[in-house]
Amino acid sequence: MSALIARQASTAAERLADLAVQALVDEADLSPKPGLVDRRGSGAHSDLHLGLMHASAQSLWPAFAAMADAARSEGRVSQALRETLGQLGRDGEAEMLRVTAGVNTHRGAIWALGLLSAAAMLESGAAAGGIAASAAALARL
């Protein structure tokens, strides 16, 4: 884990949130990415920079943890879980936009990583295919 994640995760939901945030940080840091934000610069994005991408990723940690925890509580793919995940994602998006002063840094990632975090909680110990299948089932609802 990077130095950006300073606390020790104690629950499965926290560990999943750590991994989701780390994936966003790693993606931002990956270089070179011509035209995109990376360690070399902002690419074609005058409103983005690496520090903003890192701050945005960190701001989403509570949302990812809450999504995984909601899946643990529900215990299965269901319409109720999908609705809860949607609300938690919108709440996470609002926090991200607050931190970034309205810049959309990770809107799509909230959806994708939120579903995967929830599915990973539901499919604890499963291979990637099982987690992806549960994420897909949630997305279809």
Side-chain angles (χ1 to χ4, degrees):
M1 287 293 143
S2 85
L4 292 172
I5 301 172
R7 80 198 132 58
Q8 179 68 28
S10 62
T11 68
E14 290 173 345
R15 288 189 297 276
L16 287 167
D18 285 349
L19 291 169
V21 168
Q22 191 61 53
L24 293 175
V25 169
D26 288 349
E27 187 281 327
D29 287 348
L30 182 66
S31 297
K33 293 191 312 256
L36 300 175
V37 176
D38 65 16
R39 289 195 171 276
R40 298 177 317 150
S42 295
H45 298 278
S46 61
D47 59 343
L48 299 174
H49 56 82
L50 193 58
L52 187 67
M53 299 297 286
H54 286 182
S56 172
Q58 288 294 314
S59 78
L60 295 172
W61 189 94
F64 293 137
M67 290 177 195
D69 197 47
R72 182 199 51 75
S73 293
E74 180 67 21
R76 63 186 180 88
V77 171
S78 68
Q79 185 64 40
L81 176 58
R82 173 60 188 84
E83 290 172 11
T84 298
L85 296 176
Q87 185 58 58
L88 292 169
R90 288 185 294 278
D91 294 346
E93 177 184 19
E95 178 60 12
M96 175 200 72
L97 292 172
R98 185 193 68 74
V99 165
T100 65
V103 177
N104 172 20
T105 48
H106 290 115
R107 190 172 275 145
I110 296 168
W111 170 248
L113 289 174
L115 290 173
L116 288 168
S117 295
M121 182 62 83
L122 292 173
E123 302 297 332
S124 180
I131 293 169
S134 285
L138 283 164
R140 283 191 298 271
L141 293 175

